[in-house]
């Protein structure tokens, strides 16, 4: 399982697509909230911004499923499937709740959601409200989705029992969780490891590893506290200025936060850590092939994280493209 450790946008999409290729994943299953997520994947010179389908699409052998806990926007899903030519390998659970035009209007038309919380405006919050009110439409009721409907928990558990390689892809980040985040500046659901498992219908004892993804600095979009926040000008100077995948807003930025990371490891029961964008903070590392090639400063940064969090840092992102990863899983 892959989860986000900060406020989303940690680089989960890149790590998920790397693992789908490297570990020859048979199945990747999306958990998390819905199309409020935007996973950027740079692959073979092209940029993909995935909002519904799992980032494992880069491996043509990988099945791409969406768990029942996830909210489905049929327009976005069908466009992604068509754009990728993934008709033969995409599947949606019949119980995914459906985002309709009215949900998007309620999200964008509410001063509270739009101005105060500064949501992504994708209809996720209002759709989860209707889901809890037991009035939401489900995927099984949408004719255009008929050919994609599969029992995702059954297919996922069967694949695990048959010894296949299965990756569960979480979205958002730990501190956007409705339960554990900076309420009310949070998303409309819990997004920690326990909930990602529930989203796809896999029991906790079947998860071998929880890989938590942190970026080498922290970003957040929308409202809410951000400890150590720097100004936009400072972020630009450091090369940390980012633009949000879904909304195009500027992301707020802060240095890596060890206390936040420690709590995220606890809340998710993380067994491994991935650090992305190491090359953005330590540009001298961009051509490193393994850990020994890192500068002293970068190596010290990683060692400090491992020592404080008592969890191995197994994957290091050193460039935007899917394959630009230092993989230490065999050494650690
Ligand atoms: P909502 O999930 O659209 O309701 O937005 C609630 C809060 O979560 C806002 O601060 C959003 O910016 C944030 N958020 C939701 N999904 C993501 C994501 O995938 N990446 C980063 N921020 C997100
Ligand atoms: Mg994102």
């Amino acid at each position: 399982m892959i989860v986000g450790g900060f406020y989303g946008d940690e680089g989960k999409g890149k790590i998920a697509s790397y693992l789908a290729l490297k570990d020859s994943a048979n199945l990747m299953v999306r958990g998390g909230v819905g199309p409020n997520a935007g996973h950027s994947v740079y692959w073979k010179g092209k940029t993909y911004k995935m909002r519904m389908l799992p980032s494992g699409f880069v491996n043509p052998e990988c099945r791409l499923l969406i768990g029942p806990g996830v909210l489905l926007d049929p327009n976005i899903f069908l466009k992604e499937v068509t754009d990728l030519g993934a008709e033969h390998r995409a599947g949606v659970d019949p119980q995914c709740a459906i985002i309709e035009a009215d949900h998007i209007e309620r999200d964008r038309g509410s001063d509270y959601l739009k101005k105060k919380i500064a949501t992504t405006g994708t209809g996720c919050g209002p759709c989860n409200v209707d889901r809890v009110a037991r009035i939401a439409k489900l995927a099984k009721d949408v004719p255009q989705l008929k050919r994609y409907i599969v029992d995702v928990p059954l297919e996922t558990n069967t694949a695990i029992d048959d010894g296949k390689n299965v990756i569960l892809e979480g979205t958002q980040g730990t501190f956007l969780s409705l339960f554990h985040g900076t309420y009310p500046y949070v998303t409309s659901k819990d997004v920690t490891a326990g909930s990602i498992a529930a989203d796809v219908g896999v029991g906790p004892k079947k998860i071998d590893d929880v890989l938590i993804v942190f970026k080498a600095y922290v970003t957040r979009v929308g409202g809410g506290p951000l400890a150590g926040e720097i100004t936009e000008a400072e972020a630009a100077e450091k090369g940390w200025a980012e633009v949000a995948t879904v909304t195009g807003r500027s992301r707020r930025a802060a240095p890596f936060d060890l206390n936040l990371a420690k709590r995220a490891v606890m809340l998710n029961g993380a067994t491994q850590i991935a650090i992305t964008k190491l090359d953005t903070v330590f540009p001298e590392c961009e051509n490193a092939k393994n850990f020994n090639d890192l500068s002293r400063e970068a190596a010290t940064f990683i060692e400090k994280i491992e020592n404080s969090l008592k969890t191995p840092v197994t994957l290091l992102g050193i460039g935007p493209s899917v394959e630009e990863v230092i993989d230490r899983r065999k050494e650690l």
Side-chain angles (χ1 to χ4, degrees), residues 7-9 12 33 36-39 107 113 117-125 171-173 176 185-188 220-223 246 249 251:
Y7 300 98
D9 309 315
K12 295 177 292 296
V33 182
N36 51 351
H39 287 177
D107 203 356
L113 290 178
I117 308 299
T119 71
T120 60
T122 51
C124 291
T171 63
Q172 284 75 45
L176 290 177
Y185 301 98
V186 293
T187 191
S188 53
R220 135 164 246 180
V221 275
V246 174
R249 297 180 289 190
R251 291 181 182 151

mmCIF file of all heavy atoms in Angstrom, residues 7-9 12 33 36-39 107 113 117-125 171-173 176 185-188 220-223 246 249 251, ligand 1:
data_model
loop_
_atom_site.group_PDB
_atom_site.id
_atom_site.type_symbol
_atom_site.label_atom_id
_atom_site.label_comp_id
_atom_site.label_asym_id
_atom_site.label_seq_id
_atom_site.Cartn_x
_atom_site.Cartn_y
_atom_site.Cartn_z
ATOM 1 N N TYR A 7 0.322 16.621 3.151
ATOM 2 C CA TYR A 7 -0.967 17.208 2.760
ATOM 3 C C TYR A 7 -1.315 16.889 1.304
ATOM 4 O O TYR A 7 -1.911 17.692 0.612
ATOM 5 C CB TYR A 7 -0.926 18.728 2.943
ATOM 6 C CG TYR A 7 -0.661 19.177 4.359
ATOM 7 C CD1 TYR A 7 0.614 19.541 4.757
ATOM 8 C CD2 TYR A 7 -1.701 19.242 5.294
ATOM 9 C CE1 TYR A 7 0.862 19.966 6.058
ATOM 10 C CE2 TYR A 7 -1.456 19.661 6.591
ATOM 11 C CZ TYR A 7 -0.176 20.020 6.965
ATOM 12 O OH TYR A 7 0.060 20.435 8.248
ATOM 13 N N GLY A 8 -0.937 15.717 0.843
ATOM 14 C CA GLY A 8 -1.129 15.384 -0.565
ATOM 15 C C GLY A 8 0.025 15.932 -1.389
ATOM 16 O O GLY A 8 0.885 16.671 -0.873
ATOM 17 N N ASP A 9 0.071 15.525 -2.662
ATOM 18 C CA ASP A 9 1.095 16.018 -3.587
ATOM 19 C C ASP A 9 2.516 15.681 -3.132
ATOM 20 O O ASP A 9 3.459 16.423 -3.381
ATOM 21 C CB ASP A 9 0.954 17.541 -3.807
ATOM 22 C CG ASP A 9 -0.467 17.891 -4.184
ATOM 23 O OD1 ASP A 9 -1.020 17.184 -5.031
ATOM 24 O OD2 ASP A 9 -1.016 18.843 -3.616
ATOM 25 N N LYS A 12 3.126 10.598 -4.808
ATOM 26 C CA LYS A 12 2.651 9.200 -4.766
ATOM 27 C C LYS A 12 2.499 8.611 -6.161
ATOM 28 O O LYS A 12 2.781 7.433 -6.368
ATOM 29 C CB LYS A 12 1.286 9.112 -4.058
ATOM 30 C CG LYS A 12 1.327 9.504 -2.594
ATOM 31 C CD LYS A 12 -0.057 9.457 -1.965
ATOM 32 C CE LYS A 12 -1.018 10.506 -2.487
ATOM 33 N NZ LYS A 12 -0.641 11.900 -2.203
ATOM 34 N N VAL A 33 -10.255 9.445 -1.763
ATOM 35 C CA VAL A 33 -11.536 10.157 -1.849
ATOM 36 C C VAL A 33 -12.170 10.064 -3.242
ATOM 37 O O VAL A 33 -13.265 9.531 -3.392
ATOM 38 C CB VAL A 33 -11.368 11.635 -1.434
ATOM 39 C CG1 VAL A 33 -12.715 12.354 -1.482
ATOM 40 C CG2 VAL A 33 -10.778 11.734 -0.023
ATOM 41 N N ASN A 36 -10.728 14.490 -6.670
ATOM 42 C CA ASN A 36 -9.997 15.633 -6.102
ATOM 43 C C ASN A 36 -8.492 15.368 -6.150
ATOM 44 O O ASN A 36 -7.686 16.287 -6.066
ATOM 45 C CB ASN A 36 -10.464 15.929 -4.667
ATOM 46 C CG ASN A 36 -10.464 14.707 -3.768
ATOM 47 O OD1 ASN A 36 -10.282 13.582 -4.230
ATOM 48 N ND2 ASN A 36 -10.692 14.919 -2.490
ATOM 49 N N ALA A 37 -8.107 14.106 -6.281
ATOM 50 C CA ALA A 37 -6.690 13.736 -6.381
ATOM 51 C C ALA A 37 -6.168 14.054 -7.775
ATOM 52 O O ALA A 37 -6.897 13.991 -8.749
ATOM 53 C CB ALA A 37 -6.525 12.248 -6.122
ATOM 54 N N GLY A 38 -4.884 14.411 -7.844
ATOM 55 C CA GLY A 38 -4.253 14.597 -9.148
ATOM 56 C C GLY A 38 -2.861 14.022 -9.063
ATOM 57 O O GLY A 38 -1.987 14.603 -8.429
ATOM 58 N N HIS A 39 -2.666 12.852 -9.635
ATOM 59 C CA HIS A 39 -1.348 12.219 -9.595
ATOM 60 C C HIS A 39 -0.621 12.486 -10.907
ATOM 61 O O HIS A 39 -1.063 12.061 -11.958
ATOM 62 C CB HIS A 39 -1.489 10.710 -9.357
ATOM 63 C CG HIS A 39 -1.889 10.383 -7.949
ATOM 64 N ND1 HIS A 39 -2.129 9.108 -7.506
ATOM 65 C CD2 HIS A 39 -2.067 11.186 -6.869
ATOM 66 C CE1 HIS A 39 -2.438 9.142 -6.214
ATOM 67 N NE2 HIS A 39 -2.426 10.393 -5.815
ATOM 68 N N ASP A 107 -20.280 22.227 -4.315
ATOM 69 C CA ASP A 107 -18.900 22.408 -3.860
ATOM 70 C C ASP A 107 -18.390 23.802 -4.245
ATOM 71 O O ASP A 107 -17.841 24.537 -3.428
ATOM 72 C CB ASP A 107 -18.033 21.316 -4.505
ATOM 73 C CG ASP A 107 -16.758 21.032 -3.721
ATOM 74 O OD1 ASP A 107 -16.504 21.717 -2.726
ATOM 75 O OD2 ASP A 107 -16.013 20.116 -4.115
ATOM 76 N N LEU A 113 -17.220 26.231 1.597
ATOM 77 C CA LEU A 113 -16.310 25.229 1.001
ATOM 78 C C LEU A 113 -15.300 25.883 0.064
ATOM 79 O O LEU A 113 -14.112 25.583 0.103
ATOM 80 C CB LEU A 113 -17.117 24.166 0.241
ATOM 81 C CG LEU A 113 -17.947 23.218 1.110
ATOM 82 C CD1 LEU A 113 -18.745 22.249 0.240
ATOM 83 C CD2 LEU A 113 -17.045 22.427 2.068
ATOM 84 N N ILE A 117 -12.622 26.772 3.252
ATOM 85 C CA ILE A 117 -11.856 25.514 3.205
ATOM 86 C C ILE A 117 -10.977 25.485 1.955
ATOM 87 O O ILE A 117 -9.908 24.893 1.948
ATOM 88 C CB ILE A 117 -12.798 24.290 3.241
ATOM 89 C CG1 ILE A 117 -13.781 24.396 4.415
ATOM 90 C CG2 ILE A 117 -12.011 22.981 3.303
ATOM 91 C CD1 ILE A 117 -13.157 24.445 5.797
ATOM 92 N N ALA A 118 -11.442 26.157 0.894
ATOM 93 C CA ALA A 118 -10.739 26.167 -0.398
ATOM 94 C C ALA A 118 -10.551 24.742 -0.930
ATOM 95 O O ALA A 118 -9.440 24.264 -1.138
ATOM 96 C CB ALA A 118 -9.410 26.907 -0.288
ATOM 97 N N THR A 119 -11.678 24.081 -1.147
ATOM 98 C CA THR A 119 -11.657 22.711 -1.673
ATOM 99 C C THR A 119 -11.214 22.714 -3.133
ATOM 100 O O THR A 119 -11.055 23.772 -3.753
ATOM 101 C CB THR A 119 -13.063 22.070 -1.620
ATOM 102 O OG1 THR A 119 -13.888 22.711 -2.600
ATOM 103 C CG2 THR A 119 -13.690 22.204 -0.241
ATOM 104 N N THR A 120 -11.086 21.516 -3.686
ATOM 105 C CA THR A 120 -10.699 21.403 -5.098
ATOM 106 C C THR A 120 -11.889 21.679 -6.028
ATOM 107 O O THR A 120 -11.710 21.752 -7.239
ATOM 108 C CB THR A 120 -10.157 19.993 -5.402
ATOM 109 O OG1 THR A 120 -11.185 19.039 -5.102
ATOM 110 C CG2 THR A 120 -8.920 19.683 -4.571
ATOM 111 N N GLY A 121 -13.098 21.769 -5.481
ATOM 112 C CA GLY A 121 -14.274 22.075 -6.313
ATOM 113 C C GLY A 121 -14.672 20.945 -7.246
ATOM 114 O O GLY A 121 -15.316 21.166 -8.269
ATOM 115 N N THR A 122 -14.311 19.724 -6.880
ATOM 116 C CA THR A 122 -14.590 18.571 -7.757
ATOM 117 C C THR A 122 -15.846 17.813 -7.339
ATOM 118 O O THR A 122 -16.141 16.756 -7.895
ATOM 119 C CB THR A 122 -13.385 17.606 -7.770
ATOM 120 O OG1 THR A 122 -13.029 17.318 -6.404
ATOM 121 C CG2 THR A 122 -12.196 18.215 -8.470
ATOM 122 N N GLY A 123 -16.561 18.328 -6.333
ATOM 123 C CA GLY A 123 -17.825 17.707 -5.926
ATOM 124 C C GLY A 123 -17.682 16.588 -4.901
ATOM 125 O O GLY A 123 -18.682 15.976 -4.504
ATOM 126 N N CYS A 124 -16.470 16.331 -4.455
ATOM 127 C CA CYS A 124 -16.254 15.174 -3.565
ATOM 128 C C CYS A 124 -16.965 15.320 -2.218
ATOM 129 O O CYS A 124 -17.646 14.393 -1.781
ATOM 130 C CB CYS A 124 -14.755 14.934 -3.353
ATOM 131 S SG CYS A 124 -13.935 14.334 -4.842
ATOM 132 N N GLY A 125 -16.795 16.486 -1.565
ATOM 133 C CA GLY A 125 -17.420 16.670 -0.252
ATOM 134 C C GLY A 125 -18.931 16.489 -0.316
ATOM 135 O O GLY A 125 -19.493 15.648 0.403
ATOM 136 N N THR A 171 -4.682 8.113 -1.846
ATOM 137 C CA THR A 171 -4.593 9.482 -2.375
ATOM 138 C C THR A 171 -4.695 10.477 -1.219
ATOM 139 O O THR A 171 -4.886 10.094 -0.076
ATOM 140 C CB THR A 171 -5.709 9.769 -3.410
ATOM 141 O OG1 THR A 171 -6.973 9.675 -2.759
ATOM 142 C CG2 THR A 171 -5.642 8.810 -4.573
ATOM 143 N N GLN A 172 -4.554 11.742 -1.550
ATOM 144 C CA GLN A 172 -4.475 12.825 -0.554
ATOM 145 C C GLN A 172 -3.314 12.528 0.403
ATOM 146 O O GLN A 172 -2.422 11.777 0.066
ATOM 147 C CB GLN A 172 -5.805 12.991 0.202
ATOM 148 C CG GLN A 172 -6.892 13.692 -0.596
ATOM 149 C CD GLN A 172 -7.514 12.811 -1.669
ATOM 150 O OE1 GLN A 172 -7.834 11.664 -1.433
ATOM 151 N NE2 GLN A 172 -7.698 13.352 -2.859
ATOM 152 N N GLY A 173 -3.357 13.105 1.603
ATOM 153 C CA GLY A 173 -2.259 12.915 2.543
ATOM 154 C C GLY A 173 -2.801 12.847 3.956
ATOM 155 O O GLY A 173 -3.920 13.319 4.233
ATOM 156 N N LEU A 176 -4.669 15.679 5.644
ATOM 157 C CA LEU A 176 -5.934 16.098 5.032
ATOM 158 C C LEU A 176 -7.050 15.165 5.486
ATOM 159 O O LEU A 176 -8.202 15.309 5.078
ATOM 160 C CB LEU A 176 -5.832 16.058 3.500
ATOM 161 C CG LEU A 176 -4.952 17.104 2.822
ATOM 162 C CD1 LEU A 176 -4.917 16.857 1.311
ATOM 163 C CD2 LEU A 176 -5.451 18.514 3.110
ATOM 164 N N TYR A 185 -9.933 22.129 7.964
ATOM 165 C CA TYR A 185 -9.224 22.264 6.679
ATOM 166 C C TYR A 185 -8.748 20.886 6.227
ATOM 167 O O TYR A 185 -7.547 20.594 6.226
ATOM 168 C CB TYR A 185 -8.059 23.239 6.817
ATOM 169 C CG TYR A 185 -8.522 24.611 7.254
ATOM 170 C CD1 TYR A 185 -8.453 25.000 8.584
ATOM 171 C CD2 TYR A 185 -9.094 25.485 6.324
ATOM 172 C CE1 TYR A 185 -8.913 26.233 8.989
ATOM 173 C CE2 TYR A 185 -9.559 26.728 6.723
ATOM 174 C CZ TYR A 185 -9.466 27.097 8.055
ATOM 175 O OH TYR A 185 -9.940 28.323 8.451
ATOM 176 N N VAL A 186 -9.691 20.050 5.879
ATOM 177 C CA VAL A 186 -9.403 18.655 5.547
ATOM 178 C C VAL A 186 -10.309 18.217 4.404
ATOM 179 O O VAL A 186 -11.209 18.955 4.010
ATOM 180 C CB VAL A 186 -9.657 17.742 6.774
ATOM 181 C CG1 VAL A 186 -8.654 18.035 7.889
ATOM 182 C CG2 VAL A 186 -11.092 17.887 7.287
ATOM 183 N N THR A 187 -10.095 17.027 3.913
ATOM 184 C CA THR A 187 -10.957 16.478 2.878
ATOM 185 C C THR A 187 -12.140 15.761 3.532
ATOM 186 O O THR A 187 -12.312 15.811 4.755
ATOM 187 C CB THR A 187 -10.131 15.591 1.917
ATOM 188 O OG1 THR A 187 -10.939 15.280 0.783
ATOM 189 C CG2 THR A 187 -9.642 14.312 2.581
ATOM 190 N N SER A 188 -12.986 15.118 2.734
ATOM 191 C CA SER A 188 -14.275 14.644 3.250
ATOM 192 C C SER A 188 -14.243 13.203 3.752
ATOM 193 O O SER A 188 -15.289 12.593 3.923
ATOM 194 C CB SER A 188 -15.337 14.817 2.163
ATOM 195 O OG SER A 188 -14.914 14.211 0.966
ATOM 196 N N ARG A 220 1.154 22.494 0.642
ATOM 197 C CA ARG A 220 -0.274 22.345 0.906
ATOM 198 C C ARG A 220 -1.009 23.345 0.016
ATOM 199 O O ARG A 220 -0.525 24.454 -0.186
ATOM 200 C CB ARG A 220 -0.489 22.520 2.416
ATOM 201 C CG ARG A 220 -1.612 23.381 2.908
ATOM 202 C CD ARG A 220 -1.918 23.127 4.383
ATOM 203 N NE ARG A 220 -3.255 22.551 4.437
ATOM 204 C CZ ARG A 220 -3.893 22.185 5.529
ATOM 205 N NH1 ARG A 220 -3.298 22.299 6.702
ATOM 206 N NH2 ARG A 220 -5.092 21.688 5.477
ATOM 207 N N VAL A 221 -2.166 22.937 -0.503
ATOM 208 C CA VAL A 221 -3.019 23.882 -1.238
ATOM 209 C C VAL A 221 -4.291 24.096 -0.452
ATOM 210 O O VAL A 221 -4.709 23.220 0.288
ATOM 211 C CB VAL A 221 -3.390 23.393 -2.669
ATOM 212 C CG1 VAL A 221 -2.318 23.736 -3.661
ATOM 213 C CG2 VAL A 221 -3.720 21.925 -2.694
ATOM 214 N N GLY A 222 -4.907 25.263 -0.599
ATOM 215 C CA GLY A 222 -6.126 25.547 0.145
ATOM 216 C C GLY A 222 -5.806 26.104 1.514
ATOM 217 O O GLY A 222 -4.665 26.473 1.804
ATOM 218 N N GLY A 223 -6.826 26.152 2.393
ATOM 219 C CA GLY A 223 -6.668 26.763 3.709
ATOM 220 C C GLY A 223 -6.006 25.837 4.713
ATOM 221 O O GLY A 223 -5.626 24.715 4.379
ATOM 222 N N VAL A 246 -4.885 19.639 -10.002
ATOM 223 C CA VAL A 246 -6.317 19.681 -10.301
ATOM 224 C C VAL A 246 -6.812 21.115 -10.459
ATOM 225 O O VAL A 246 -7.566 21.425 -11.362
ATOM 226 C CB VAL A 246 -7.128 18.951 -9.190
ATOM 227 C CG1 VAL A 246 -8.624 19.111 -9.404
ATOM 228 C CG2 VAL A 246 -6.760 17.476 -9.155
ATOM 229 N N ARG A 249 -3.890 26.064 -8.640
ATOM 230 C CA ARG A 249 -3.509 27.053 -7.618
ATOM 231 C C ARG A 249 -2.034 26.884 -7.248
ATOM 232 O O ARG A 249 -1.467 25.812 -7.407
ATOM 233 C CB ARG A 249 -4.341 26.838 -6.333
ATOM 234 C CG ARG A 249 -5.825 27.034 -6.527
ATOM 235 C CD ARG A 249 -6.598 26.800 -5.235
ATOM 236 N NE ARG A 249 -6.629 25.394 -4.849
ATOM 237 C CZ ARG A 249 -7.387 24.901 -3.880
ATOM 238 N NH1 ARG A 249 -8.160 25.698 -3.173
ATOM 239 N NH2 ARG A 249 -7.382 23.625 -3.592
ATOM 240 N N ARG A 251 0.893 26.181 -4.759
ATOM 241 C CA ARG A 251 0.991 25.438 -3.504
ATOM 242 C C ARG A 251 1.805 26.226 -2.492
ATOM 243 O O ARG A 251 2.832 26.805 -2.839
ATOM 244 C CB ARG A 251 1.657 24.078 -3.751
ATOM 245 C CG ARG A 251 0.772 23.143 -4.556
ATOM 246 C CD ARG A 251 1.441 21.797 -4.775
ATOM 247 N NE ARG A 251 0.591 20.932 -5.595
ATOM 248 C CZ ARG A 251 1.044 19.993 -6.402
ATOM 249 N NH1 ARG A 251 2.339 19.763 -6.510
ATOM 250 N NH2 ARG A 251 0.206 19.253 -7.100
HETATM 251 P P1 LIG B 1 -11.735 18.603 -1.146
HETATM 252 O O1 LIG B 1 -11.070 17.273 -0.919
HETATM 253 O O2 LIG B 1 -11.843 18.954 -2.599
HETATM 254 O O3 LIG B 1 -13.024 18.729 -0.395
HETATM 255 O O4 LIG B 1 -10.768 19.730 -0.533
HETATM 256 C C1 LIG B 1 -10.491 19.821 0.870
HETATM 257 C C2 LIG B 1 -9.040 20.167 1.109
HETATM 258 O O5 LIG B 1 -8.218 19.068 0.719
HETATM 259 C C3 LIG B 1 -8.508 21.372 0.304
HETATM 260 O O6 LIG B 1 -7.533 22.023 1.079
HETATM 261 C C4 LIG B 1 -7.851 20.725 -0.909
HETATM 262 O O7 LIG B 1 -6.866 21.552 -1.459
HETATM 263 C C5 LIG B 1 -7.252 19.478 -0.264
HETATM 264 N N1 LIG B 1 -7.053 18.343 -1.190
HETATM 265 C C6 LIG B 1 -7.951 17.394 -1.551
HETATM 266 N N2 LIG B 1 -7.394 16.497 -2.373
HETATM 267 C C7 LIG B 1 -6.113 16.845 -2.518
HETATM 268 C C8 LIG B 1 -5.005 16.276 -3.231
HETATM 269 O O8 LIG B 1 -5.097 15.233 -3.890
HETATM 270 N N3 LIG B 1 -3.821 16.947 -3.143
HETATM 271 C C9 LIG B 1 -3.689 18.069 -2.393
HETATM 272 N N4 LIG B 1 -4.684 18.640 -1.721
HETATM 273 C C10 LIG B 1 -5.890 18.033 -1.781
#
